[in-house]
């Protein structure tokens, strides 16, 4: 077996930037969006020549992007089917568009939750709110919201750590980024060994939705291996992608700097940004940012004339990969399949191409520049003892004042809802909240009094998830929300493990049985039995699923059914 | 009394209340098996990395909030596992219920599932078997062998993982998500799409019969109801020597074939030829009765008459023109026993050394060079070294096509990080997985290897003879020679960039031990012997010979081409490579076998046509060979064979050569005989009859014995076993300890040398050092081939085989393999094609100094510019018509791998 320091050339993987032309997969995904599948041989050959990939790989990649492929050379409309948009009627919208013979590709969260519903037309222009609901393919452009206005954004912390640049309007170009101090952290980190960055991380106690991040970094750095990877991924979950979208569109350099710093800390030589292919704008901005940064020697070979090299590749992800499950992302990059992998080994030990791999959300990455530049005080000075630092919450259009808000960990949820967001839209009281996406926590109105601290929440069986907050109003179509739960799980399950793959279908057939029982005059015994069967199914999904996606989703779903049982099943009868 | 402590010891765990010691890395499933506890699984397979998808293996673990999947969770000290707790049993049942009840979404139709592993799970969990229903979609039968019935698929992905992790192909994918997710086969192209090698490994693992094959889907009247137990034997195709189990059907014909699960060579795997291409055994045109030619037609004769005729004609001719006017040719497909008897017949009964085999056409260069330099002409290493190697050098062979099972093992080794260097003018399947591919210009191997030696020497720094190992004889002189070779010149000669040459040397120097696998791409050259010598120098220099994971592994083409040479079917060697010129050999033969060994070396097969045309050879006995297709310069060969006064062809089918025969003797084929085959790693394995030979066809050894007796020899062998005993007596050093009794006991056979009955056989040669005077370095310089730089014939043609077919195609073309998509035709690089104004599918004329051929052109960027490739299987366009009869002067092997040609429209 070959050992460390051998003279073997590192293998070149298909997803890497070939011939310095940028992401080969971005080229293919864009092509597929405009052309129907299967691609004719000539197109495959051309793409192969352009990207440097084998023809068979081009074919496989094209298949991977099938869901967004053009139909009869017409790019489909991308209609957001995230929770926020669903509640704002995007399910009906999609149906009516399809009735008008417009082909639609349903996407879980385009990142406009504050202005739901949202859709992208065939030229990838965004339409939100009424413009989306009244979308008219003939009026087209004029009506769209190119340069969509920024959502309401605020920080309840004196020293915001995630949003500082966005709060100032963003820094899309390298020039703007430099003027805001981006890359200074990297510059100073390059003067010191990577261990310093690792120590800073430990000292800061920086926390994600699972609690502190540093222990994983230590494992990754300590694992014996020839090389390592870091993956930054945008978007996990059914709603609340606003912050990811904005960071990529308006603060991409902080993301890149963070990726480099994480790599520096654990000793990785390659970073990958996993960005959903249906964020066309974000994809373009990030690509441009990588080009600019590489040209300025802030990425690539011998960064800033140091001995350290670090390369970033862009991976446009076709499917949502089980809500961003780390092993699923890794599998998508490696095999273009995107299926969860058993753990152990954890990705930090053996991830992408069996090398130690760090998978971090963008929100973590954008904090690293400041950490490297200014040290860890800003973290330790706010948040809770268990989880220092801050967190961004994204409140959807169901609140009176939707938007993005950065708060120190430990902030009370009720305060956020009632004071910052002003309660339900148009003053109507809320039935429930979904915190952190469908796999997060479903909270009835009496359950809002707790501190938003990941560690404390985990202890009491709650999940912070991706930090999105979706309001369920009294007027909400609860049956549609239940179908949304099921469609989401079925549509995002990687399909590998039986409980998660077939569970939603099982629930659908049980629910149908209920409905029959509810309509035909009920024999209470049958209803009890059906309900017990449903519970067995939830139980099997929760306990039996391979990855956290399948394990987490049944909880909120069961809670939802428990809360609204009668209203879901008696209305129609 | 101290209180009894019930917590298990630190290194202990409990499964169902039984204590066991934890061994690191072991999964709960493996540990439970150790205790004989069975945990149900669906997606698990011992040879695959855990999939973790079916979740049937969940077990309860005290203190863990959720159950653990036994197949991928390591057992840790202190764990208390309950494998059949109520909670996990309920989960298992729910999972099976889900499979059965969500048919609408998942596409599964329970009534289509074939009885097997999945239905066993159903039954053991208290479900009744689903009532059989016709499949809602028709089974896809577009592939000649493989069958696909999507409604039986339970999405376990065993096929996918097997294909990737064992077969080394990447045929399957998954499309869509959730319940709509489906297995896809080669995109959507199906098994015929080009990525699948039709090895059938996925059929073996599919628990539901969703993927199946033609042999298992036979019509009812051909189902396997034969009470006779299946027979274990060895594949009759290539030199890998896979062990297989032949099942027979009602009529006693071959039913279906499985690999022997734990066989040392193939671990239960087989390739398309081994598993599926057995139909030719029952082909309608098998030779069934001895046939005598009268004029242009053949007529059947009884065996007695046939053997008597052969004997009397040989005796007449020998009496008139001397024994050397008779020659025999043995095929690499016959058993050891038959090959032994044939050479004994020629030497002991006729009295000539005119015996040769098809080994001449591929690997006699190896035998010559390696025995001269190292003391033995065979593979020093064994197949298990592939997984142990530090670096793999695959030189002039395309094992994924020619030796598929080895190809798969090599690919897996490369995928697991063993550096792999592929030297081949063509981009091969394996070269896509290689660390480095060196596209060498055909015929320049010697220069390439020499320069690698030089660069490795440099990488080693100050290398002394002492470091190279004690018997590094003549090292200094060779080193000086190697170091004098200029790198730029070698780069110009071989067409390989300097940078790549240096990198290759670096990798070789850094990753000992080096295992070199090479094939006909080295030997089938005018300078074939020199190529092998150069490779042996490199092997000596890198000190891998005799070490685990190192050494030389020439890949022998046919199933028993190794054995046929071992048995002395060579004009200059008796069994076990005992030189006939040596007095010792003569004495031993006289003492043990009771005849005088003729002293004059015989003719090689390459010299045969000339000898016939010159009138020196008048009669020929061809056993299982088709020289009209395999020899170079087809036109001359035909002339020679037509001139023969008496041609005996002993064959299973009527070949081109057979059509010229004066008498045809019907022989039993691979699945019909008793005997032994020796594979490319010197492994002698038992071959057993599974089906009956058609008509009056007989095993080779019986035919030869009868002819010998008709000639008056006192041969009375009771069976092949008896023959092997005699081989042992005549060749004690290598075969002395080989007996059928031992082969019965150790089913994976014995690797020779095996000198006595207590000897376990030899995995690697030279592990105890070289024989005295051997292990020497030989400086050998590159010389251009006569086919290089010819203005008149500017393109170099390589001939070779394709996966689906075997040699001249006599066997495989009588099976559905003929329907497999094979890359036929002349492969040309796009640049050359453009220059010649040819497009894909055009007919073109290929011309060499020997002859010409009309072929269809296939454009392929896997071809090196300036070269072309033609496969050898197509009988209507015999590639050998182009090959020059001018062989390597040392080994007498023709240059099949670099033929100067020109192409015109
Ligand atoms: S037959 Fe072999 S190569 Fe073809 S799909 Fe099955 S396992 Fe893969
Ligand atoms: S075809 Fe067979 S082996 Fe492959 S996934 Fe389906 S059931 Fe499993
Ligand atoms: S690899 Fe060779 S020996 Fe094995 S099954 Fe295939 S042809 Fe037969
Ligand atoms: S056998 Fe463990 S998950 Fe399938």
């Amino acid at each position: 077996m070959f050992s460390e320091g051998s003279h073997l050339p590192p293998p070149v993987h298909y997803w890497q930037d070939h011939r310095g032309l940028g992401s080969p997969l971005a080229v293919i995904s864009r092509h597929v969006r405009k052309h129907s599948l299967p691609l004719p041989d000539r197109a495959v050959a051309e793409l192969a020549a352009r990207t440097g990939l084998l023809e068979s790989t081009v074919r496989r990649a094209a298949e991977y992007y099938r869901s967004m492929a053009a139909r009869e050379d017409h790019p489909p409309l991308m209609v957001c089917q995230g929770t926020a948009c669903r509640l704002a009627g995007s399910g009906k919208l999609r149906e009516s568009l399809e009735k008008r013979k417009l082909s639609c590709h349903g996407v879980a969260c385009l990142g406009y939750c504050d202005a739901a519903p949202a859709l992208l037309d065939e030229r990838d222009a965004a339409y939100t709110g009424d413009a989306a609901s009244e979308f008219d393919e003939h009026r087209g452009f004029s009506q769209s919201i190119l340069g969509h206005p920024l959502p309401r954004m605020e920080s309840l912390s004196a020293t915001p750590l995630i949003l500082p640049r966005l709060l100032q309007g963003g820094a899309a170009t390298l020039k703007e980024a430099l003027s805001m101090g981006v890359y200074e952290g990297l510059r100073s980190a390059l003067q010191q060994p990577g261990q310093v960055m690792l120590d800073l991380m430990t000292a800061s106690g920086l926390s994600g939705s699972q609690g502190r991040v540093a222990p994983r970094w230590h494992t990754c750095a300590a694992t014996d291996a020839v090389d390592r990877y870091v993956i930054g991924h945008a978007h996990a979950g059914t709603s609340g992608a606003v912050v990811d979208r904005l960071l990529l569109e308006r603060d991409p350099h902080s993301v890149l700097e963070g990726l480099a710093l994480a790599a520096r800390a654990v000793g990785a030589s390659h970073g990958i940004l996993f960005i959903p292919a249906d964020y066309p704008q974000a994809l373009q901005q990030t690509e441009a940012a990588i080009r600019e940064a590489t040209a300025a020697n802030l990425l690539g070979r011998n960064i800033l004339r140091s001995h350290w090299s670090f390369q970033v590749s862009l991976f446009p992800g076709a499917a949502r990969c089980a809500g961003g499950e780390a092993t699923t992302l890794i599998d998508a990059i490696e095999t273009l399949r995107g299926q969860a992998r058993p753990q152990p080994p954890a990705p930090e030990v053996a991830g992408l191409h069996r090398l130690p791999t760090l998978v971090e959300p963008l929100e973590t990455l954008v904090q690293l520049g400041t950490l490297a530049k200014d040290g860890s005080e800003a973290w330790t000075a706010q948040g809770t003892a268990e989880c220092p630092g801050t967190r961004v919450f994204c409140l959807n259009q169901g609140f009176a004042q939707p938007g993005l808000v950065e708060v120190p960990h430990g902030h009370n949820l009720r305060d956020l809802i009632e004071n910052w967001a002003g309660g339900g839209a148009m003053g109507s009281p809320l039935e429930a909240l979904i915190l952190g996406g469908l796999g997060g926590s479903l909270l009835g109105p009496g359950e809002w009094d707790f501190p938003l601290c990941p560690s404390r929440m985990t202890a009491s069986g709650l999940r912070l998830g991706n930090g999105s907050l979706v309001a369920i109003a009294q007027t909400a179509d609860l049956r549609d929300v239940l179908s949304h739960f099921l469609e989401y799980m079925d549509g995002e399950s990687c399909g590998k493990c039986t409980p998660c793959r077939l569970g939603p279908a099982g629930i659908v057939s049980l629910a149908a049985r209920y409905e029959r029982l509810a309509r035909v005059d009920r024999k209470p015994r049958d209803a009890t039995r059906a309900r017990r069967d449903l519970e067995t199914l939830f139980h099997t999904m929760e306990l039996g699923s391979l990855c956290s996606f399948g394990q987490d989703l049944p909880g909120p779903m069961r809670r939802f059914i428990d809360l609204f049982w009668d209203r879901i099943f008696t209305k129609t009868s | 009394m101290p209180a009894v402590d019930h917590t298990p010891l630190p290194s202990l765990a409990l499964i169902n209340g039984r204590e066991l010691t934890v061994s690191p890395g072991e999964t709960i499933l493996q540990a439970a098996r150790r205790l004989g506890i069975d945990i149900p699984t669906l997606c698990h397979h011992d040879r695959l990395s855990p999939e973790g998808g079916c979740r049937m293996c969940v077990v309860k673990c005290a203190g863990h909030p959720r159950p653990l999947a036994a197949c991928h969770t390591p057992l840790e000290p202190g764990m208390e596992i309950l494998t059949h707790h109520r909670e996990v049993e309920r989960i298992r049942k729910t999972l099976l219920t889900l499979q059965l009840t969500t048919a609408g979404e998942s596409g599964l139709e329970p009534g289509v599932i074939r009885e097997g592993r999945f239905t066993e799970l159903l039954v053991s969990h208290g479900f009744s078997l689903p009532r059989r229903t016709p499949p809602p979609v028709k089974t896809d039968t577009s592939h000649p062998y493989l069958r696909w019935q999507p409604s039986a698929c339970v999405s376990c992905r065993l096929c996918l993982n097997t294909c990737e992790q064992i077969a080394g192909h990447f045929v399957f994918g998954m499309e869509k998500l959730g319940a709509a997710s489906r297995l896809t086969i080669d995109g959507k192209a199906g098994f015929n799409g080009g990525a699948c090698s039709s090895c059938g490994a996925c059929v073996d693992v599919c628990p539901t019969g969703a993927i199946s094959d033609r042999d298992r889907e036979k019509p009812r009247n051909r189902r396997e109801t034969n009470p006779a137990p299946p027979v274990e034997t060895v594949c009759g195709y290539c030199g890998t020597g896979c062990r297989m189990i032949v099942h027979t059907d009602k009529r006693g014909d071959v039913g279906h074939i499985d690999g022997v699960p734990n066989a040392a060579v193939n671990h239960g795997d087989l390739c398309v030829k081994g598993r599926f291409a057995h139909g030719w055994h029952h082909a309608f045109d098998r030779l069934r009765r001895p046939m005598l030619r009268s004029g242009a037609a053949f007529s059947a004769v009884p065996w007695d008459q046939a053997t008597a005729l052969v004997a009397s004609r040989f005796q007449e001719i020998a009496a008139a023109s001397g024994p050397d006017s008779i020659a025999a040719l043995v095929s690499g497909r016959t058993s050891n026993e038959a090959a032994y008897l044939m050479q004994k017949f020629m030497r002991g009964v006729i009295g000539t050394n005119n015996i040769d085999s098809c080994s001449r056409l591929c690997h006699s260069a190896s035998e010559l060079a390696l025995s001269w330099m190292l003391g033995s002409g065979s593979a020093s290493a064994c197949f298990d070294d592939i997984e142990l190697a530090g670096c793999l050098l695959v030189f002039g062979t395309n094992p994924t096509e020619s030796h598929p099972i080895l190809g798969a093992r090599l690919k897996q080794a490369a995928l697991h990080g063993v550096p792999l260097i592929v030297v081949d003018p063509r981009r091969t399947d394996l070269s896509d997985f290689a660390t480095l591919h060196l596209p060498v210009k055909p015929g320049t191997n010697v220069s390439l290897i020499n320069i690698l030696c030089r660069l490795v020497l440099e990488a080693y720094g100050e290398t002394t003879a002492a470091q190279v190992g004690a018997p590094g004889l003549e090292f200094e002189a060779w080193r000086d020679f190697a170091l004098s070779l200029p790198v730029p010149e070698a780069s110009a000669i071989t067409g390989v960039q300097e940078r790549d040459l240096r990198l290759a040397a670096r990798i070789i120097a850094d990753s000992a031990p080096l295992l070199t696998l090479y094939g006909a791409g080295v030997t089938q050259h005018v300078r074939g012997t020199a190529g092998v010598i150069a490779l042996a120098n490199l092997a000596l220099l890198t000190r891998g010979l005799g070490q685990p994971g190192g050494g030389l592994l020439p890949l022998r083409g046919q199933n028993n081409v190794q054995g046929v040479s071992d048995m002395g079917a060579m004009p200059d060697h008796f069994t076990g490579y005992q030189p006939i010129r040596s007095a010792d050999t003569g004495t031993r033969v006289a003492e043990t076998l009771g005849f005088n060994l003729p002293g004059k070396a015989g003719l090689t097969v390459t010299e045969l046509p000339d000898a016939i045309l010159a009138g020196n050879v008048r009669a020929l006995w061809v056993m299982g060979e088709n020289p009209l297709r395999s020899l170079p310069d087809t036109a001359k060969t035909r002339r020679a064979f037509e001139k023969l006064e008496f041609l005996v062809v002993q064959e299973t089918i009527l070949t081109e050569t057979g059509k010229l025969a004066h008498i045809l003797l019907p022989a039993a084929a691979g699945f019909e005989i008793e005997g032994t085959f020796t594979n490319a790693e010197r492994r002698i394995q038992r071959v057993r009859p599974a089906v009956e030979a058609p008509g009056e066809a007989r095993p080779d050894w019986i035919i030869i014995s009868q002819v010998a007796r008709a000639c008056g020899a006192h041969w009375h062998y009771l069976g092949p076993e008896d023959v092997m005993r005699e081989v042992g007596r005549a060749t004690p050093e290598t075969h002395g300890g080989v007996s059928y009794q031992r082969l019965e006991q150790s089913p994976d056979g014995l690797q020779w040398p095996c000198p006595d009955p207590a000897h376990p056989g030899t995995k690697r040669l030279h592990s105890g050092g070289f024989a005295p005077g051997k292990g020497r370095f030989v400086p050998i310089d590159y010389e251009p081939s006569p086919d290089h730089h010819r203005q008149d014939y500017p393109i170099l043609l390589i001939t070779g085989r394709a996966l689906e077919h075997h040699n001249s195609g006599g066997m495989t073309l009588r099976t559905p393999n003929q329907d497999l998509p094979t890359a036929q035709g002349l492969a040309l690089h796009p640049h050359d094609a453009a220059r010649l104004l040819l497009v894909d599918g055009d007919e073109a004329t290929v011309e060499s100094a020997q002859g010409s051929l009309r072929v269809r052109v296939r454009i392929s960027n896997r071809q090196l510019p300036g070269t072309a490739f033609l496969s050898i299987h197509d009988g209507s366009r015999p590639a050998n018509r182009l090959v020059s009869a001018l062989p390597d002067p040392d080994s007498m092997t023709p240059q099949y791998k670099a033929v100067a040609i020109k192409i015109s429209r």
Side-chain angles (χ1 to χ4, degrees), chain B residues 235 237-242 244 270-275 403-405:
Chain B
C235 176
Y237 279 107
C238 81
T240 311
C242 297
M244 50 172 53
L270 293 171
C271 76
V272 56
K273 284 174 281 204
R275 193 186 300 265
H403 299 75
I405 295 298

Side-chain angles (χ1 to χ4, degrees), chain A residues 1-2 5-9 54-55 60 63 66 319-321 335-344 354 489-503 505-506 508-509 536-537 539-546 551-552, chain B residues 50-55 58 65-67 72-74 87 90-91 94-95 98-99 101-102 105-106 154-155 157 160 164 172-181 187-188 387 389-390 415-419 427 432 435 503 506-507 510-511:
Chain A
M1 291 284 148
F2 66 98
S6 79
H7 294 78
L8 291 185
L54 289 177
E55 290 186 14
R60 226 150 42 97
E63 272 304 312
R66 171 173 282 278
R320 285 323 164 81
C321 288
T335 68
L336 285 172
R337 284 200 286 269
Q339 311 217 317
R341 295 178 177 184
Q343 300 190 42
R354 279 179 257 218
M489 183 162 188
D490 186 45
E492 193 146 323
S493 159
C494 79
K496 177 150 169 170
C497 74
T498 318
C500 174
R501 174 171 67 99
L502 298 178
V508 169
S509 64
T536 311
L537 203 47
H539 188 76
T540 302
M541 288 155 72
E542 249 175 346
L543 297 184
S545 288
L546 170 65
Q551 294 167 359
D552 290 352
Chain B
E51 163 80 7
C54 75
R55 314 311 283 170
V58 284
R66 51 177 94 246
H72 63 76
T73 315
E87 185 178 293
R90 194 171 55 170
I91 293 179
T94 315
L95 291 172
L98 272 179
Q99 293 270 22
T101 55
T102 52
E105 285 74 23
S106 70
V154 293
S155 252
R157 294 149 166 83
L160 185 151
E164 298 191 351
F172 295 103
M174 295 298 305
E175 63 161 358
K176 308 219 176 110
L177 296 165
S181 64
K188 292 259 171 73
E387 284 83 13
L415 286 170
H416 283 90
V418 181
R427 258 175 63 197
D432 285 347
T435 321
L503 190 58
R506 208 49 273 175
I507 296 173
D510 280 353
S511 356

Side-chain angles (χ1 to χ4, degrees), chain B residues 42-43 108 118 147-150 152-162 172 174 183 185 191 202-212:
Chain B
L42 174 59
C43 69
L108 173 74
F118 186 77
R147 300 289 177 264
W148 167 230
Q149 174 44 260
C153 175
V154 293
S155 252
C156 68
R157 294 149 166 83
L158 279 168
C159 51
L160 185 151
N161 289 322
T162 302
F172 295 103
M174 295 298 305
L183 187 76
I185 303 174
F191 292 117
C202 49
V203 178
D204 265 357
V205 292
C206 180
T208 63
I211 298 181
S212 184

Side-chain angles (χ1 to χ4, degrees), chain B residues 25 46 620 640 736 767 854 870:
Chain B
D46 285 341
L620 177 65
S767 50
R854 271 310 266 176
L870 192 58

